[in-house]
Amino acid sequence: MDEKNKLLTIGQFAALHGINKKTLMWYDEIGLFQPAVVHSENGYRYYSYYQSSILETILLLRELNVSVNEIQAFMKNRSAASLEQLLDEKIQDVEREILHLKAVRKTLENHRQNMLTLLTMDLTEISVVEKKECCLVTVDIDETVSFDKQVEMITAETKKHQLRRLHDASYGTMISVKSLYSGNFDDYSKLFIEIPYPIRKTGLHIQPRGKYVRAFYKGPWDDISLYYQKIFSYAEQQNFILSGYSYEMIINENVINQIEDSIVQIEIPIKSEQPFLLPLDEWKKPDIML
């Protein structure tokens, strides 16, 4: 106990708490944290061991990005209630930051996977993949919604779901399989943003887990209908029924300079593996040559 009553030099006290002694000198100058004793002749600062808990509280709050002014106000009226309130607010801030960092990690993983896909992909291949369920924020669109309006709506949804930037998430367009089977290849009905963290809110679109037909398209946008015909033929040969929506997403926009070089990933849910009830030659098709 007697050892703890001894005074520590500013260097010793700084080393005890893993900080620079200039930090203690600054805290003293602004009146935030002052030494227990200042030598009357040489001005040396000395600190008591029992001041450690106060300094650690200040250091904790600084680590939580609490401003010096806020800490000074708290230190003048320290109490269990005021500290509990302050820490509760900062815990919420930390939770939001953790959520953001998880979103950033998911986005980085998605971008990395897209780059690996670009390096190994075969544009002629149509495959089947297994996907997990995920939540999508969607914005309804049709031919009457201008591009400027689409950008405005997507920006609003990005802010609503606490995505700091649009690129904190994956995004793309949706067109119903029913429209595709009917030959309405321009009948896009939704823009989507994939939420990169678990969330359950009303109004979200749930992209179902399960098997998906996946294909990649590169070429003139007007010719994507031809590629959908190829996907339909593949599904018929495999006895797949496609359902729901086709989810389209450009996967190489980070490494191209013009839209003509875009590679579109197309994913369509497989409802079941059984013969089609409707023969392929009875579908309504556009007047195009395959």
Side-chain angles (χ1 to χ4, degrees), residues 22-160:
K22 289 183 179 180
T23 301
L24 289 174
M25 294 170 67
W26 180 55
Y27 285 171
D28 183 16
E29 290 171 3
I30 64 176
L32 177 60
F33 181 76
Q34 297 174 321
V37 174
V38 177
H39 197 285
S40 59
E41 295 182 2
N42 55 30
Y44 288 173
R45 298 171 173 88
Y46 294 91
Y47 295 83
S48 164
Y49 174 84
Y50 293 100
Q51 290 181 284
S52 289
S53 60
I54 298 175
L55 178 60
E56 283 299 325
T57 299
I58 294 172
L59 295 177
L60 171 62
L61 295 177
R62 289 296 294 147
E63 190 171 346
L64 293 173
N65 293 321
V66 180
S67 70
V68 170
N69 288 338
E70 286 181 286
I71 296 176
Q72 286 178 318
F74 163 73
M75 295 300 291
K76 291 177 181 178
N77 298 282
R78 276 191 299 157
S79 69
S82 61
L83 182 57
E84 190 277 333
Q85 180 180 352
L86 184 57
L87 292 177
D88 183 63
E89 292 173 357
K90 294 307 169 182
I91 287 172
Q92 294 180 44
D93 290 343
V94 169
E95 290 295 334
R96 283 190 289 268
E97 186 63 23
I98 289 173
L99 202 61
H100 171 65
L101 290 175
K102 286 182 177 180
V104 170
R105 175 172 178 163
K106 177 69 181 301
T107 301
L108 292 175
E109 290 173 347
N110 288 342
H111 286 319
R112 181 179 63 179
Q113 183 57 52
N114 287 344
M115 295 307 103
L116 289 174
T117 299
L118 290 173
L119 293 171
T120 60
M121 70 190 308
D122 179 355
L123 286 174
T124 65
E125 181 184 13
I126 300 176
S127 60
V128 176
V129 296
E130 193 80 26
K131 289 181 63 70
K132 296 180 180 179
E133 176 185 291
C134 68
C135 297
L136 306 179
V137 176
T138 59
V139 172
D140 293 333
I141 59 171
D142 57 35
E143 66 278 0
T144 66
V145 180
S146 68
F147 177 76
D148 289 343
K149 183 62 176 178
Q150 292 179 23
V151 171
E152 180 183 325
M153 292 189 297
I154 281 292
T155 301
E157 290 297 324
T158 300
K159 293 179 179 178
K160 183 189 300 182

Side-chain angles (χ1 to χ4, degrees), residues 107-123 131 167 170-173 192 194 214-218 221 247-256 259 261-267:
T107 301
L108 292 175
E109 290 173 347
N110 288 342
H111 286 319
R112 181 179 63 179
Q113 183 57 52
N114 287 344
M115 295 307 103
L116 289 174
T117 299
L118 290 173
L119 293 171
T120 60
M121 70 190 308
D122 179 355
L123 286 174
K131 289 181 63 70
H167 286 275
S170 301
Y171 57 94
T173 54
F192 74 79
E194 180 182 345
R214 174 184 287 174
F216 300 95
Y217 174 73
K218 181 180 181 181
W221 201 258
Y247 301 88
E248 296 181 3
M249 183 173 61
I250 298 174
I251 64 169
N252 66 333
E253 62 179 356
N254 295 329
V255 292
I256 60 174
I259 192 66
D261 295 326
S262 297
I263 296 177
V264 181
Q265 176 181 277
I266 300 170
E267 294 181 336

